Amino acid sequence: MTAISKIEISKSLPVPTDFGIEGMTCASCVVRVEKAIAAVPGVASATVNLATERATVAYSEPVPTEAVLRAIERAGYEPKIETRELVVEGMTCASCVTRVEKALKAVTGVREATVNLATEKATVRSIAGTALSALEDAVRAAGYDVRKTTVDSPADDSEDRRRREANRLKLALALSAALTLPLFVLEMGSHFIPAIHDWIMVNVGMGNNLLIQFALATLVLFGPGLRFFRKGVPNLLRWTPDMNSLVVLGTLAAWGYSVVATFLPGVLPSGTANVYYEAAAVIVTLILLGRYLEARAKGKTSQAIKHLIGLQAKTAHVKRGEYFVEIEIGDVAVGDIVRIRPGEKVPVDGRVVDGESYVDESMITGEPVPVKKSAGAEVVGGTINKTGSFSFEATKIGSDTLLAQIIKMVEAAQGSKLPIQALVDRVTGWFVPAVIAAATLTFVAWLLLGPSPALTFALVNAVAVLIIACPCAMGLATPTSIMVGTGRAAELGILVRKGEALQTLRDVDVVALDKTGTLTKGKPELTDFVTVKDFDRNDVLQLVASLEAKSEHPIAEAIVDAAKAKGVVLVDVSDFEAAPGYGVSGRIDGRAVLVGADRSMTRSGIDVSSFSQNAAELGDAGKSPLYAAIDGKLAAIIAVSDPIKETTPQAIAALHALSLKVAMITGDNARTAQAIARQLGIDEVVAEVLPEGKVEAVKKLRDGGRKVAFIGDGINDAPALSEADIGLAVGTGTDIAIESADVVLMSGDLNGVPRAIAISKATIRNIRQNLFWAFAYNVSLVPVAAGVLYPVNGMLLSPILAAGAMGLSSVFVLANALRLRRFKTN
């Protein structure tokens, strides 16, 4: 089935729709887009306005939004898509999730809608201009409510809402339990304790006893239990039953039968005028208990977000005139000078201008060792100053700070759906109707085939089937594990930007690492500088360093630093040109200077064979040989060595321990690359790769159907990060690399890679455990509740026990997910 066929088409003719379009520059673009949209079946007309960059589309019949969006994309333009989040109230099970998604997807202009039961949020991708009110109305029409969130702190708002809901459930549970206990004693006590039976017969009487039970059960059902009726009955009337509907049918059946047995016993067959008030009341009480425990556990699943939010400082000491004054964090502006004293939190991101101290960044990077900060160093909001004092200039505030971005990333990952969720979505669409059908079948089978009194057996077993079925556990199985897993990963300095990365990371076969800045420190040092006999060493060094001073490459920086250390005076360069993957060239005092790899010399027709022995020795030592040519003549061989990070060998050993192959992608020549690979125990090497060749290198590693994870940190790593099955960016790298990655390692420590893979495996294992429990619970206990074991050993399941099992099944799933909070790496 195609994506288009999955979108529900409105039965009524839709009103004209506006589509925002990017990339149009002229009248030809307008004509092209109009033709593309008009060609979509069902489109009556399309009018495109270049000035407003919008297309107004009228229809002759219902048309899926996706069809128009694809037509725009095929024409070579980008439709403007905006993403919104709605907080949806009233969802209790996986069936609710399916219903809300279906309602949102039916709104004209919606391209994609995903709903998360654990976070109670709906993420909607729609064409720009889609009315928020239309989305909210669709949710309400489906039987749920949409809550407004505060702009400043939606996470705090969500937390307050959950706390209030837990408190309401606690009060409802207390009232329900207080009313149910005497009811339970009156009914069950008289059955099992003769003294209670005798006391009731003498002091209360059977008639009064039934009236008291009726009153207590009615108060429970239509007092604390009214929440189930408010949601369940409207959904039944819409023919879209949910978890609440099952509770309503079960309890109402038990209560209604008991009412008839109490007030009209003559209409029932002889011997069947029994009451089940206690069953109806206990079912409500136990399900409220389950909901209360579930609400408390849900609150714990979001503790990582609460912890991150708690890192934010409330105030800051900012320089105003000659003095530092304390102001609210929201009043800090970019450029303000902020003073930090010992033990204080850094309020916003900035750059140190005065003073020196050590700062604990473990809450951001996961690394426990404090980092030295002095003038020029970057500081991050939320980190904690240790013993020194310093002042810094605020560079990022509010939602632009790293901590705010981390919170946003974690929330986005927690709200996403994994591919493994697809099975659950397919099942939950028909689960509740199937349970109602099973309960109906159970009732009919027992009524026709069961022993006397058949009506009693039929009622009790049908109620047990309705009550024991639990789509809640299925709906919570995946999102709760994702919430806790991504939250724990964030605490370890691993930011999962896309939730599906958790599942992909688990299946990785090869980990490909960019060498410079990933395996190495990214701060090369000049180790060798050998000149040809006819050239003066200092003269060549001056020319090379002057040329490299124009380059931003780390190797260039190493050469310049070494020259300055020797007192070399740099001179002006003209006609400077940088060729990525080859080298740099320019003119100095009329002399043509070229510095680069052997391939750069070969391209310029310069023979480097005279240095072949030197190059071999340098390569075997793991150094990168470069060459310098002046006026077309080979002048020197230069060796630069980039020290290996101290944590790299340990990280590679950890990856091997996970049975993964490790590959290195580098621009170094093959000899140097192999030397480094031998030193570190790397399995595969792809050497002499130009920046634009990294994508092909990733594709090559994928041969044989292997899944590849690529780890990089630079701008030229971005395409490879996107091409790999999963991209991991070192957090100390560039913004573009981080933006292209699925996972970000905040510390820059490669040990984060095996940690990320380990927590991915643990999270997916936890999800599988939850799904197994949720499905096994329903598949095994629904037939037991229906009475399939009765012919074998006479076993029947009481509706009261069914209610207890149903309530605890969701709690089990949540408790299992919470185990991920204790995840530790070696």
Side-chain angles (χ1 to χ4, degrees):
M1 184 180 287
T2 65
I4 293 177
S5 64
K6 290 180 183 176
I7 298 179
E8 179 157 319
I9 303 174
S10 175
K11 292 180 181 177
S12 59
L13 196 64
V15 296
T17 308
D18 284 342
F19 291 81
I21 302 171
E22 295 179 335
M24 297 187 299
T25 57
C26 63
S28 298
C29 300
V30 171
V31 173
R32 193 174 297 117
V33 174
E34 285 181 342
K35 282 184 177 180
I37 297 175
V40 175
V43 171
S45 65
T47 306
V48 177
N49 186 312
L50 181 61
T52 61
E53 296 184 314
R54 303 190 75 79
T56 301
V57 182
Y59 307 95
S60 58
E61 60 183 72
V63 175
T65 299
E66 184 70 12
V68 179
L69 294 175
R70 286 188 175 181
I72 295 169
E73 289 171 342
R74 281 196 296 269
Y77 304 91
E78 282 294 319
K80 291 180 182 177
I81 301 294
E82 58 187 13
T83 302
R84 287 194 178 104
E85 266 195 356
L86 306 176
V87 177
V88 182
E89 288 193 320
M91 297 189 298
T92 56
C93 65
S95 298
C96 302
V97 170
T98 303
R99 193 169 300 117
V100 174
E101 285 183 346
K102 190 175 181 181
L104 287 170
K105 287 176 181 177
V107 176
T108 302
V110 171
R111 185 168 205 176
E112 182 184 358
T114 57
V115 177
N116 188 303
L117 179 61
T119 60
E120 298 175 327
K121 289 180 180 178
T123 303
V124 183
R125 296 183 71 243
S126 60
I127 60 174
T130 302
L132 178 62
S133 58
L135 302 176
E136 293 176 343
D137 289 346
V139 173
R140 293 189 179 102
Y144 305 90
D145 199 11
V146 180
R147 175 174 285 271
K148 304 285 186 186
T149 59
T150 58
V151 175
D152 293 336
S153 188
D156 284 345
D157 182 78
S158 178
E159 175 61 23
D160 289 341
R161 179 171 48 83
R162 282 187 174 176
R163 191 182 298 112
R164 288 195 299 271
E165 175 62 13
N167 288 336
R168 283 195 293 266
L169 281 167
K170 186 177 181 180
L171 289 173
L173 173 62
L175 177 59
S176 183
L179 294 169
T180 300
L181 183 61
L183 171 56
F184 188 80
V185 171
L186 282 172
E187 178 59 24
M188 302 308 292
S190 63
H191 281 299
F192 295 105
I193 304 173
I196 293 179
H197 176 77
D198 294 341
W199 183 86
I200 291 173
M201 290 297 100
V202 172
N203 296 288
V204 179
M206 182 55 70
N208 289 334
N209 177 31
L210 292 178
L211 291 175
I212 292 171
Q213 287 190 42
F214 163 74
L216 291 171
T218 302
L219 287 172
V220 170
L221 253 68
F222 302 104
L226 190 60
R227 60 174 53 231
F228 303 118
F229 287 80
R230 283 176 175 155
K231 295 291 181 184
V233 172
N235 285 333
L236 274 173
L237 296 176
R238 293 189 193 97
W239 294 95
T240 55
D242 65 349
M243 183 69 231
N244 295 296
S245 304
L246 296 180
V247 176
V248 167
L249 288 173
T251 55
L252 206 56
W255 179 83
Y257 185 91
S258 302
V259 169
V260 174
T262 301
F263 298 102
L264 298 169
V267 304
L268 297 173
S270 178
T272 63
N274 303 308
V275 294
Y276 300 98
Y277 289 124
E278 88 293 343
V282 171
I283 287 169
V284 168
T285 302
L286 288 177
I287 292 175
L288 284 172
L289 173 63
R291 291 275 175 92
Y292 172 63
L293 294 174
E294 182 181 314
R296 288 189 58 187
K298 272 186 180 178
K300 292 178 182 178
T301 62
S302 58
Q303 277 195 348
I305 288 289
K306 285 184 273 185
H307 171 69
L308 289 170
I309 292 171
L311 294 177
Q312 297 171 321
K314 305 297 183 188
T315 60
H317 291 90
V318 177
K319 192 171 186 179
R320 293 287 185 261
E322 295 298 317
Y323 303 97
F324 283 91
V325 296
E326 186 174 10
I327 64 173
E328 292 293 320
I329 188 71
D331 296 330
V332 178
V334 172
D336 278 347
I337 302 299
V338 183
R339 184 182 65 191
I340 302 296
R341 293 176 295 195
E344 288 185 339
K345 285 182 181 178
V346 178
V348 295
D349 295 358
R351 186 179 296 107
V352 177
V353 294
D354 181 52
E356 187 175 283
S357 183
Y358 282 85
V359 175
D360 179 4
E361 297 183 338
S362 60
M363 61 290 299
I364 302 295
T365 66
E367 293 300 313
V369 181
V371 181
K372 184 179 179 180
K373 301 291 181 181
S374 55
E378 302 284 342
V379 290
V380 176
T383 55
I384 299 174
N385 183 33
K386 302 302 280 186
T387 55
S389 179
F390 62 89
S391 299
F392 71 92
E393 180 185 355
T395 56
K396 290 182 180 178
I397 60 172
S399 61
D400 293 329
T401 63
L402 178 61
L403 182 59
Q405 293 298 315
I406 289 172
I407 293 171
K408 187 177 179 180
M409 281 186 197
V410 175
E411 286 182 327
Q414 289 184 342
S416 61
K417 280 194 175 185
L418 269 61
I420 199 173
Q421 180 74 15
L423 172 64
V424 180
D425 291 342
R426 285 198 298 271
V427 171
T428 52
W430 52 260
F431 181 81
V432 174
V435 170
I436 294 174
T440 304
L441 184 61
T442 299
F443 183 85
V444 172
W446 278 94
L447 190 63
L448 298 177
L449 307 174
S452 180
L455 181 59
T456 298
F457 279 110
L459 175 70
V460 170
N461 291 321
V463 169
V465 169
L466 289 169
I467 296 303
I468 203 164
C470 187
C472 307
M474 290 191 290
L476 292 169
T478 301
T480 50
S481 294
I482 293 174
M483 283 183 70
V484 183
T486 52
R488 179 60 181 142
E491 291 172 352
L492 294 171
I494 302 161
L495 293 186
V496 181
R497 295 186 66 245
K498 301 170 185 175
E500 57 269 24
L502 278 173
Q503 188 167 341
T504 309
L505 196 55
R506 169 186 171 273
D507 299 325
V508 162
D509 301 301
V510 181
V511 176
L513 303 149
D514 178 59
K515 191 200 81 171
T516 304
T518 304
L519 288 171
T520 64
K521 291 182 178 179
K523 295 181 179 178
E525 301 166 357
L526 180 66
T527 58
D528 299 82
F529 195 95
V530 181
T531 56
V532 175
K533 192 187 331 181
D534 297 335
F535 286 88
D536 178 72
R537 188 180 189 281
N538 291 333
D539 183 39
V540 175
L541 180 59
Q542 182 186 44
L543 293 173
V544 169
S546 297
L547 182 65
E548 293 287 12
K550 294 285 186 179
S551 172
E552 296 179 353
H553 197 284
I555 288 178
E557 186 179 346
I559 294 172
V560 173
D561 288 345
K564 287 180 177 178
K566 292 183 178 296
V568 172
V569 177
L570 304 183
V571 293
D572 292 335
V573 179
S574 61
D575 300 332
F576 175 82
E577 185 178 339
Y582 287 91
V584 292
S585 62
R587 300 191 71 82
I588 302 175
D589 293 334
R591 304 166 78 181
V593 182
L594 172 66
V595 180
D598 52 359
R599 54 180 168 268
S600 176
M601 298 296 150
T602 302
R603 190 170 70 168
S604 298
I606 299 171
D607 182 18
V608 297
S609 59
S610 59
F611 278 133
S612 58
Q613 183 64 34
N614 303 71
E617 291 173 358
L618 293 170
D620 288 339
K623 299 176 181 179
S624 304
L626 300 172
Y627 300 89
I630 299 174
D631 291 331
K633 294 180 180 179
L634 185 65
I637 184 170
I638 307 163
V640 173
S641 176
D642 191 355
I644 301 294
K645 290 180 180 177
E646 293 84 354
T647 55
T648 295
Q650 181 187 352
I652 290 173
L655 290 170
H656 284 147
L658 292 169
S659 301
L660 297 170
K661 293 289 184 183
V662 181
M664 179 175 69
I665 298 176
T666 177
D668 288 345
N669 64 51
R671 186 184 289 268
T672 302
Q674 289 293 348
I676 294 172
R678 284 193 301 273
Q679 180 185 344
L680 294 174
I682 290 172
D683 305 296
E684 301 178 41
V685 175
V686 186
E688 301 183 25
V689 177
L690 297 175
E692 61 269 21
K694 289 181 180 180
V695 170
E696 287 302 317
V698 169
K699 289 179 179 177
K700 182 180 176 183
L701 289 170
R702 217 189 256 125
D703 287 349
R706 300 190 301 180
K707 289 194 178 296
V708 177
F710 180 79
I711 294 93
D713 72 329
I715 290 175
N716 57 27
D717 291 328
L721 286 165
S722 298
E723 173 62 30
D725 295 289
I726 183 165
L728 294 91
V730 177
T732 52
T734 59
D735 290 342
I736 191 169
I738 290 172
E739 198 61 36
S740 303
D742 304 298
V743 178
V744 181
L745 309 177
M746 293 304 297
S747 68
D749 180 356
L750 267 188
N751 279 309
V753 178
R755 282 193 202 117
I757 293 172
I759 199 165
S760 164
K761 289 178 180 287
T763 303
I764 298 301
R765 185 166 56 248
N766 192 272
I767 288 172
R768 291 187 184 279
Q769 290 166 354
N770 283 347
L771 288 176
F772 173 80
W773 165 260
F775 281 98
Y777 166 87
N778 284 290
V779 169
S780 60
L781 289 188
V782 168
V784 172
V788 295
L789 295 180
Y790 185 77
V792 179
N793 57 16
M795 177 183 172
L796 290 175
L797 192 64
S798 162
I800 292 175
L801 292 177
M806 191 274 281
L808 292 175
S809 63
S810 296
V811 176
F812 175 89
V813 165
L814 286 159
N816 188 50
L818 288 170
R819 290 192 307 114
L820 287 170
R821 288 166 56 194
R822 300 194 296 271
F823 174 85
K824 292 181 180 178
T825 56
N826 295 327

